[in-house]
Amino acid sequence: MGLLVQKFGGSSVADAEKIANVARRVAESAPGNQMVVVVSAMGRTTDGLLGLARQISSAPDLREMDMLLSTGEQVTIALLAIALQARGLKARSFTGPQVGLRTDHAHTQARITQIDADRVRRSLDAGEIAVVAGFQGLSDQDEITTLGRGGSDLTAVALAAALKADVCEIYTDVDGVYTADPNIVPDARKLARVAYDEMLELASLGAKVLQTRSVEFAKKYGVTVHVRSTFRPDPGTLVTKEEQGMEQAVVTGVTHDRSQAKISILRVPDRPGIAARVFGAIAVKNIVVDMIVQNISQDGHTDMSFTLPRGDYARAVAELSDVAREIGARGIVHDERVAKVSIVGVGMRSHSGVASTMFAALAREGINIQMISTSEIAVSCVIEDKYAELAVRTLHDAFDVGRGIAR
Ligand code: ADP
Ligand code: ASP
Ligand code: MG
């Protein structure tokens, strides 16, 4: 008998009819398998809850945010268990705390510390389909926590690892991982397989089809992840370890991230300790900075720019206004809306000229590059937000990503 973990995202469970459809799909896999089904909140419920809290306070308490956000998934588990029971199947719903998913106490961004899956195992051994709320856990102080946006993916992968499941299937509104967001690039191509390291870069650089931390977890514990469509039966994309013979296209995918902001501090005195002071002030506020650029110094002063998640922008600007004054900088300028476009591919390790091809393609469209960063298998550029989609299509064309050999 196999053990399957299946996860259904928000758009797959957006209304009662869709939940009934999920129950039908789960029922198809049930014969001969033990099944754990992880679900997200219905549709855009989580965004709606965030919006409600923001209407009341610009800086809501994070413990209370977790109390609020975790309610979304709890609605779905009960409804799906009811839908499965209506089909004559044995099913039982569980919250994150009930399945022993323990986390640290970093509210809204908690990390999993341990899973005690005994309760789920007992449910499976009793012949039940275990329906589990994604995105939530219990901290070491017995508080409800959430795992960051998209965190139901992580719940599914972590349960698959703890239960040694045969596969973790992520069901969503697209039928796999594509060479670019298929909703933006019509000729994007579905990848049959993608290596963990590439998927990690794709996810962290904006391909929101999988949460980055779920990919990290899958890599660490060797969980095979199958991303596929809730609405169509065709096979999707397997996320697995890199294999000999995997096609090594120079560029496997193009991603974009439109959730970024940029802050520059002007004419900072160029002396030891200044960067530590600036970024220390940001770090204590738990703000994660992405790209950092420092110009060469002229007459003892330099400019520093960095990008950060747009949600943290207002807090960072408030914090840095004081710091800039203290260290004698001229001031700060900021842009609340920038985009990052990236190309990703393990083939970049052994090819030269990739970055220059990227810059030339953006230049041909008159798109100015504000910041650049590179890793072993990715190159990213920060550009004006309004050019994000054009840039993705341009780069997808320039590297002929849509025409690669299917893996
Ligand atoms: P779910 O609600 O099922 O978790 P998400 O909205 O989190 O779904 O992720 C699916 C979406 O990811 C797709 O609708 C698609 O627009 C987007 N996406 C971005 N980049 C990619 C990519 N490279 N391949 C597939 N989907 C992508
Ligand atoms: N409901 C949460 C979110 O919207 C978690 C998830 O869907 O994975 O981010
Ligand atoms: Mg998601």
Side-chain angles (χ1 to χ4, degrees):
M1 183 173 266
L3 200 164
L4 300 184
V5 175
Q6 299 189 331
K7 177 256 170 179
F8 293 86
S11 48
S12 307
V13 291
D15 55 36
E17 201 181 313
K18 292 212 169 86
I19 290 176
N21 173 56
V22 166
R24 189 180 53 73
R25 280 217 76 151
V26 171
E28 280 167 12
S29 310
N33 287 311
Q34 294 191 308
M35 305 263 313
V36 177
V37 183
V38 175
V39 283
S40 292
M42 293 170 68
R44 300 191 163 272
T45 300
T46 308
D47 290 330
L49 294 170
L50 279 166
L52 275 175
R54 265 193 222 113
Q55 280 176 43
I56 295 171
S57 162
S58 60
D61 179 70
L62 297 183
R63 176 197 182 269
E64 301 309 330
M65 286 310 290
D66 276 349
M67 193 59 92
L68 176 68
L69 296 182
S70 61
T71 61
E73 273 63 15
Q74 202 169 325
V75 172
T76 326
I77 50 169
L79 291 174
L80 181 58
I82 291 168
L84 289 165
Q85 289 161 0
R87 300 189 71 90
L89 293 159
K90 276 170 81 178
R92 186 187 290 261
S93 66
F94 297 98
T95 64
Q98 283 179 316
V99 296
L101 196 152
R102 304 302 298 237
T103 73
D104 61 14
H105 57 269
H107 281 293
T108 74
Q109 286 292 343
R111 299 189 82 89
I112 297 177
T113 50
Q114 196 194 327
I115 295 188
D116 172 11
D118 281 358
R119 181 116 191 235
V120 177
R121 271 203 203 93
R122 282 202 304 276
S123 168
L124 296 176
D125 290 344
E128 293 168 352
I129 297 171
V131 182
V132 179
F135 183 52
Q136 50 176 256
L138 193 68
S139 77
D140 42 16
Q141 292 154 12
D142 285 349
E143 299 282 5
I144 289 183
T145 51
T146 62
L147 309 175
R149 295 308 304 267
S152 298
D153 296 338
L154 178 57
T155 304
V157 171
L159 278 172
L163 295 163
K164 301 194 171 46
D166 298 301
V167 63
C168 177
E169 296 183 319
I170 303 285
Y171 286 87
T172 184
D173 59 354
V174 286
D175 64 352
V177 179
Y178 277 72
T179 50
D181 187 338
N183 290 317
I184 289 179
V185 181
D187 60 354
R189 173 174 60 91
K190 181 164 79 183
L191 298 162
R193 304 174 81 88
V194 58
Y196 290 124
D197 284 335
E198 260 175 338
M199 192 64 233
L200 255 182
E201 291 275 358
L202 290 169
S204 69
L205 295 172
K208 66 171 182 160
V209 61
L210 283 177
Q211 188 214 29
T212 309
R213 274 164 50 193
S214 73
V215 186
E216 273 167 15
F217 210 100
K219 180 183 174 190
K220 188 164 169 198
Y221 293 97
V223 178
T224 298
V225 176
H226 185 182
V227 180
R228 55 191 308 190
S229 166
T230 305
F231 308 103
R232 276 186 286 163
D234 29 324
T237 301
L238 283 182
V239 186
T240 57
K241 37 182 205 306
E242 203 171 314
E243 281 167 13
Q244 286 293 316
M246 256 190 181
E247 175 204 358
Q248 297 222 326
V250 181
V251 174
T252 306
V254 181
T255 63
H256 67 293
D257 179 351
R258 302 184 67 177
S259 65
Q260 302 238 313
K262 187 178 85 168
I263 297 178
S264 303
I265 313 181
L266 305 178
R267 281 189 66 79
V268 179
D270 192 14
R271 54 167 200 265
I274 292 287
R277 174 76 188 89
V278 168
F279 293 105
I282 301 273
V284 293
K285 296 282 168 196
N286 270 325
I287 297 172
V288 182
V289 165
D290 184 13
M291 277 190 214
I292 302 177
V293 170
Q294 181 178 319
N295 286 349
I296 54 159
S297 150
Q298 271 185 329
D299 54 34
H301 289 83
T302 179
D303 296 339
M304 262 180 203
S305 299
F306 64 93
T307 58
L308 73 171
R310 193 170 305 139
D312 293 330
Y313 165 81
R315 285 195 301 140
V317 170
E319 191 63 27
L320 285 179
S321 306
D322 293 343
V323 176
R325 213 172 310 117
E326 241 173 70
I327 59 178
R330 178 181 288 166
I332 63 177
V333 291
H334 31 89
D335 188 345
E336 194 180 345
R337 212 163 269 282
V338 293
K340 181 166 71 173
V341 286
S342 312
I343 52 174
V344 175
V346 284
M348 266 182 225
R349 289 186 192 129
S350 50
H351 280 81
S352 58
V354 180
S356 62
T357 305
M358 178 181 193
F359 305 152
L362 294 176
R364 276 197 300 277
E365 295 296 331
I367 301 172
N368 189 38
I369 299 169
Q370 302 179 2
M371 292 165 98
I372 298 167
S373 82
T374 61
S375 77
E376 198 190 6
I377 61 168
V379 186
S380 302
C381 296
V382 170
I383 59 171
E384 230 185 294
D385 179 69
K386 68 177 181 192
Y387 294 125
E389 294 190 4
L390 172 65
V392 171
R393 282 192 286 267
T394 302
L395 295 174
H396 199 263
D397 265 3
F399 288 98
D400 230 2
V401 195
R403 232 160 292 145
I405 311 150
R407 291 183 195 191

